[in-house]
Structure formats: C-alpha cells, structure tokens
Amino acid sequence: MTSMTRRFTISAIAACVLGTCLAVAPAVAEPVTVTDITGRAVTLPQPATRILLAEGRQFPGLSLLHPDPVSLLSGWLGDFRRNDSETYAAYRQKFPAIDDIPVLGMGNDGSFSVEKAISIKPDVAVLGTSFAPGGRSSDVARQLEAAGIPVVFTDFFINPFDNTVPSMRILGRVIGRDKQAEDYVAFYEAHMKRVADRVAASREKRPSILVETHATPSDCCHSLGAANVGRFIAFAGGDSISAEVSKGPSAQLGLEYIIAKNPDIYVGTGGAHLKATGGLLIGPGFDAKTIQASLAAVVARPGFSELRAVREKHVHGLFHNMLSTPLNLLAVEAMARWLHPQAMTDVDPNATMAEINARFLAVPMSGIYWVDLK
Amino acid sequence: MTDIATQLAATAYQRVIRKRVVVLAALALTSLVAFALDLGSGPSSLGLFDVIGGIFDGNALSSAQRAILWEVRLPQALLAVLVGLALATAGAEMQTILGNPLASPFTLGVSSAASFGAALAIVLGIGIPGVPQNWIISANAFVFSFIAVIVLQSVVRMRGSGTDILVLCGIALFFTFNALVALTQFLASQQALQQLVFWIMGSLSRASWEKVRLLALVVVIALPFAQRAAWPMMALRLGEDRARSLGINIVMLRFMSLLRISILTATAMAFVGTIGFVGLAGPHIARLLIGEDHRFFLPASALTGAIIMSLASVASKSIIPGVLIPIGIVTALIGLPVFFSLIFSRRGLP
C-alpha cells in the first residue's frame, strides 16, 4: 500500500467515523418533550436509558417497545415479581440481570422509598397515577422532582380503557422509540376497532355477563363496576350485571342479586396470586388440568349451579394481570368471542397473541391466558 | 313489721323479675322480627311470605328462588343471628370477668389476632398443613384468635387473677396484632390487599350451611355453660373478696369463661371476618335495658347481639340493592345511634 493510498484510507475511515458520529450525535443529544397522562409537558435532555418504574406492572409496556427492556430499568417496585411470579420467571430466563434491578418498595405505592430512588439517579421516573397530584402518594413525585429527577405519569391501571394508547406513546417518547410505540398503537387500535365494528354489526342481543375478579370459592363476588376496567366489558358487547349497580371501578355483589339477574356468561379472573386461598389459577405456569379444576371449583359454589351461564356452560376464565397492561386487548378479544361467538369469527385472541409475540414482545407470552370450562 | 317489710321486698323483687322477664320476652320477639325481616329482604323479588311458603313447600318456588332461599338468604340470616349471639355473649362475659366496660373480643386483641391469621393466609399463603384451601383463611383466623385468648389465660395464671394486668395485656395484644396486620398489608400485592381489606371489614357473603352448622354447635354448647355460670359471675360483680368468701373458685371461673369467649369469638370471626361493634355494645345495650342480673343479662346480651346483626344484614344488602356493604361497617353505623340514644336517655334517670 502506497503512502498516498494509506493516507486516503485513514482519512476515509476518519471521515466515516466522524460522519457516523455526526449522524448519531444529534439523535442522542436531542431533548425530547413528552406530554404525560396528566397533561404535564416534561422535557428530558435526551431519551432515557435508565428508567425508574414505580409500578412494576407497567413493565410489559416497555417489553413491547424494546428488545431488552431490562436494560432500561434502573429501579422498580417489587409488584411485578410478586403479582406475576411466572411471567417474571420467564423474563429472568432470558434476562438474568432482572434480579439485580434495585427494588424500591414492596407491592404498593405506599412502600416506595424516595431516598433510594434519588440515590440511584435515574434519567426519568415513570410513575402511575396514584403518584400524581391528588393521588394517594403524590408526595413522591414532588420529592423526586425536587431532587432533579424528571417525572412522567402513565396509567394502565386506573383507567386503562382511555389511557392505554396515550401511555404507550408516552413510554415510546420517553425511551426514544416513538416508531415502535406507533406501531403497537396502530396494531392495538386496529384490533380494538375490529371488535367494535363486529359488535356494532352484530344482530345478536347483548348478553348479560358477570366478570368476577379474583374468583375464589371462599367468598362471593367481587366484580368490575361500570367505570375503568369495566368499560372493556361494554366495549366487547356485554351488559355487565355489576355495572347496573356499581358506577365505580368495583363492587362486591350479593349472590342473591347474581342469581336473580341470572347472567348469560360468567367470567372469573385469577392468577398465581390466588394459589394460597384456593382461587382460580390461570396464566403462565399453570397447565390446562389445573386451570380447569380451579375454574370448576369456583363455579361449584352453592347457588352457582342455578345460573344460566353455568347450566349452559358459558363459564370462562381470564388471566387477571392482563387487564392492567397494554396487553388488555387480548382480554377484550377473548371476552368479545365469548359474548358474540357468531359475529367474532375472524377475531382470534390466540392469533393476536402470536402476532404480538412475533412482532413486539421481548419475551413472548406462553401459557393459557383465557379458557372455557370444559 | 318485719314480715311486712319482707313481704314488700319480696313483692318488689317479684316485680323487678317480672319486668325483666317482660323485657327479655320483648327482646326475643324483636330478634324474631329482625330475623324475619332479614329473611324477607334482598335484591330479588322474593318476599317474606314467599320465603315462608318456600320453606314449607319447596314446589311453591322456582328453582332460582329455591337457590336464593336455601343457598343465600337462610344461611346468611342464620349466620347473622349466630354471630350476634356468639359475639355479644362473649363480650358480656368478658366485661364481667374483667370488670371493665371497655372489654370485648375486639378491644382486647382477639379480633386483631383473627385478622392476622387471615392476613397470613391471604397475603403470604401461610396456613395449617392439611386444611383444605377454601378453609385456610377461616382456620388461620380461628387458630390465631385462640392463641390470643390462651395468652390472656396464661397471664391470668402467671400473675394471679388481677384484672388490670389482663386488660393491659389484652390492649398490648390488640396493638401487637394490629401492627402485624399492618405489616402484612404493607407487604401485600394490590390484589391480596383488596382481599384482606374486605376480609377485615367483615361479610356474611361467606355464609354456608357447613359454617352455620359449626357455629350453631359451638353456640348451643357454650351458651348453656355461660348461663350456668350466671350466679358465680354475679357474685364476682360484688367484688373478688366477696366472691371468694362465697366459696367461688375465681381462677377456675375466669379460665372457663375465657375458654367460652375464645371459642365463641374465634369461630364467629373465622366465618365472617372482623365485626367489632357487637361484642362491645351488645352487652351495654342489654345492661341498659335489663340491668346487671346475669341470669337475665346474658340472654339479653345474646339477643341484642342477634338483633343488631340481623338488622345490619338487612341494611348491608338494602343500602345499594345488589351490592353488599361490608357488615362490619354497617354494625357500627346502625348500632351507634341506638347505643348513644340509650346512653343519653338513661342519663337523667335515677
């Protein structure tokens, strides 16, 4: 190689390196402004790479947007691990580092350690609305901001019906992955629209439905009200018998009321958290036999045999934790199929899940998340 | 002269006794009415006459109505009565043996212990091995409230029969178990927390025939023993020295009484959760109505407890038809006005 050629090669490499730097540098350094779920505009000097997640249950949102969501976490609450131990185990298998993420509190907002949060110096704190002004733990946000940590509010829990889509966009903006967020939002909205269209076009009558949350044979019957998560039921084309008497998020219904209303369809929600008290076991980590047996036990309670839903075998189980994540569209599709089997022939939650697994989730969902009592 | 005085006293005594019998009969009648009201009310259209007809003739009702009657109304109404009888009797006995008007299974930590047992099951999944899963909460609640009373009993044994120590120890237990419950709440997931909070607020929605039968058995065994101890208990109200001079074994009396209290409270709490007001106010209302004579005071307390629980059950399902308001909240809210009005109406009397 002549000296000229060498000089040329070196300068070419230098130009390339410099050019790459110039091309990349502005994207890294550029500030991003995000309007959070409470309407506050927050500016970050650059997309966050170290996030403090104050509601561990929001983690699946990150997993839909980033191939290595664990790498984004600088600290979180312990609720994801506690509430959804089986999904956590699946993440641990792929990302062992998940065990090393500092845990800032146990299962709820009241246990959040602000001092520890400040000490880990995250780029941004993503908090749920219980931390927002007027929320139960609103002091936390004030203290974090006083320490110079930007705070962004998202919500998949209090009002997922309205807030899932904007919260996904907020998360995408915060980590600089707007495109992935828009992709998922488009996917989500298309699937929701299909359900809405089929419900609107359906000539079938709207069946009455009881969705019992945390279904267990030892008590009866906590149910979703008309507001918040309960809105998914109406959206999927069902008349919730609890929405008639509870305008709020949830209520404990009397068994007599349930028998008198005689719902067409029964859906129990459950998960690993009901293992201790003998409730409905469903979701990752449970085999079909266990799920069927626990669902059968739930509707074997005295008085339940009288219900039309039980007599005519319209009894279903649903994984509870899905409701407060951006994966709630799967619950909507499953419910829509139970409510309007004829109108929903092209709605298949299993296919939707397969597509989510293939296109979005860092760790695919595996297991049984919805089930019919056989 | 003396004869006349004796005769007058005897007549006066008979009059008092007659009055007490009348009050007791009135309470019994009221509790029957309250029970009937409970049986006849609910969010469906099933009325009292349908219920009575349905009990005697099963074919008079549709199958859904039969389910409402036999699986919902009857077990819940019976459980309400039994819980009222159990908790108020336990409260009455506790107030007497401790000579303290603030004593009740709730104020002396027995209920908090039951809550802690339930919390262990709901939040941490800790239970007694071999107990079926849908009994695990009840079994834990039972064991822990029993432990609380055993602690109280061992205090009696260790420190002689001093009631002050017993009351202080009870209050210490109350705070200890409350702190432990708070700790489990702190550790709990959102889902478990919801379950636990509802358990602690008390509910008749967990009623079943098995539970009715078990609590009925406990009540049927414990109440006659409590009634049999009425005389020595009355003597105890006159002071420990006086009672001792009458040949009463105070330590034994207290031990047996605490045993009854523990079994009654623990079984009731295990089935319906924490219900605080009945054990404390039931006996006070009875005392205001009928006086201290234990032969009448005990059954009056029991009946008052049953009335409060039945009426609370009616209210808990009627305030928002279809929705069950936790009965622990209702007992306090509907019991307190009655309690206050009785206290203030008695104030001016001699």
Side-chain angles (χ1 to χ4, degrees), chain A:
Chain A
M1 195 184 277
T2 64
S3 65
M4 207 180 114
T5 328
R6 193 180 303 127
R7 234 183 353 256
F8 176 77
T9 314
I10 290 168
S11 47
I13 291 170
C16 279
V17 170
L18 193 65
T20 315
C21 286
L22 285 174
V24 171
V28 172
E30 206 171 289
V32 289
T33 298
V34 54
T35 304
D36 75 7
I37 208 72
T38 64
R40 299 153 65 250
V42 181
T43 302
L44 307 176
Q46 61 196 49
T49 54
R50 301 182 68 250
I51 294 176
L52 185 159
L53 200 59
E55 286 180 344
R57 72 173 92 87
Q58 295 200 3
F59 181 64
L62 287 178
S63 180
L64 288 162
L65 302 178
H66 197 284
D68 184 359
V70 173
S71 69
L72 294 170
L73 294 178
S74 65
W76 63 347
L77 229 60
D79 58 325
F80 180 67
R81 181 176 194 164
R82 176 186 303 269
N83 297 356
D84 201 350
S85 51
E86 306 299 324
T87 307
Y88 182 88
Y91 275 88
R92 179 164 49 196
Q93 212 161 28
K94 186 163 178 189
F95 304 110
I98 198 167
D99 281 343
D100 305 328
I101 302 167
V103 176
L104 307 174
M106 304 304 294
N108 51 59
D109 50 19
S111 63
F112 188 93
S113 166
V114 177
E115 190 169 329
K116 192 163 177 189
I118 293 171
S119 73
I120 58 176
K121 299 193 182 94
D123 298 338
V124 63
V126 176
L127 307 184
T129 42
S130 63
F131 295 94
R136 251 195 329 253
S137 306
S138 54
D139 287 341
V140 169
R142 187 176 44 77
Q143 289 161 327
L144 290 175
E145 281 182 331
I149 298 169
V151 166
V152 171
F153 294 109
T154 51
D155 173 44
F156 297 102
F157 181 64
I158 302 296
N159 186 7
F161 189 82
D162 290 326
N163 290 345
T164 296
V165 163
S167 292
M168 280 306 279
R169 289 197 168 114
I170 293 163
L171 279 181
R173 173 64 56 87
V174 163
I175 60 171
R177 293 177 79 87
D178 297 84
K179 186 187 170 304
Q180 284 78 0
E182 286 308 326
D183 284 352
Y184 187 73
V185 164
F187 176 84
Y188 184 96
E189 286 184 329
H191 279 259
M192 291 292 272
K193 183 173 181 303
R194 186 173 62 177
V195 169
D197 290 347
R198 300 294 175 274
V199 169
S202 172
R203 298 243 174 104
E204 300 167 78
K205 89 174 201 355
R206 287 172 73 90
S208 60
I209 179 171
L210 167 67
V211 178
E212 184 184 9
T213 51
H214 313 300
T216 159
S218 58
D219 203 355
C220 170
C221 289
H222 295 278
S223 178
L224 296 170
N228 305 3
V229 185
R231 289 172 65 192
F232 286 122
I233 302 172
F235 180 83
D239 287 331
S240 163
I241 65 163
S242 54
E244 290 178 37
V245 288
S246 166
K247 301 299 167 208
S250 64
Q252 183 175 19
L253 298 182
L255 179 56
E256 177 172 344
Y257 174 76
I258 294 168
I259 296 174
K261 281 283 164 184
N262 205 6
D264 299 313
I265 291 168
Y266 170 89
V267 177
T269 77
H273 62 282
L274 296 178
K275 209 189 276 180
T277 48
L280 172 60
L281 301 177
I282 187 167
F286 296 109
D287 57 37
K289 208 174 136 202
T290 309
I291 296 171
Q292 288 288 337
S294 66
L295 183 56
V298 160
V299 290
R301 271 175 287 179
F304 269 66
S305 59
E306 271 313 308
L307 301 182
R308 186 181 304 124
V310 177
R311 277 203 317 266
E312 295 176 5
K313 297 224 161 195
H314 295 305
V315 172
H316 313 278
L318 191 62
F319 180 54
H320 186 90
N321 287 350
M322 238 166 20
L323 296 170
S324 50
T325 73
L327 300 165
N328 53 38
L329 84 153
L330 293 166
V332 170
E333 289 194 342
M335 275 197 290
R337 275 195 61 113
W338 295 328
L339 287 159
H340 298 280
Q342 254 119 70
M344 300 288 164
T345 43
D346 61 340
V347 173
D348 179 3
N350 288 308
T352 309
M353 183 167 85
E355 195 176 343
I356 290 175
N357 282 341
R359 284 181 58 194
F360 300 103
L361 273 179
V363 172
M365 298 169 80
S366 75
I368 300 168
Y369 293 82
W370 44 86
V371 77
D372 310 331
L373 183 65
K374 298 247 162 58

Side-chain angles (χ1 to χ4, degrees), chain B residues 196-229:
Chain B
L196 179 56
V197 166
F198 270 93
W199 193 91
I200 289 175
M201 288 194 285
S203 173
L204 288 171
S205 67
R206 301 159 202 143
S208 71
W209 283 106
E210 278 165 305
K211 290 174 182 171
V212 167
R213 274 194 286 270
L214 258 169
L215 187 57
L217 188 72
V218 168
V219 166
V220 165
I221 292 172
L223 260 51
F225 277 105
Q227 196 62 32
R228 229 179 62 174

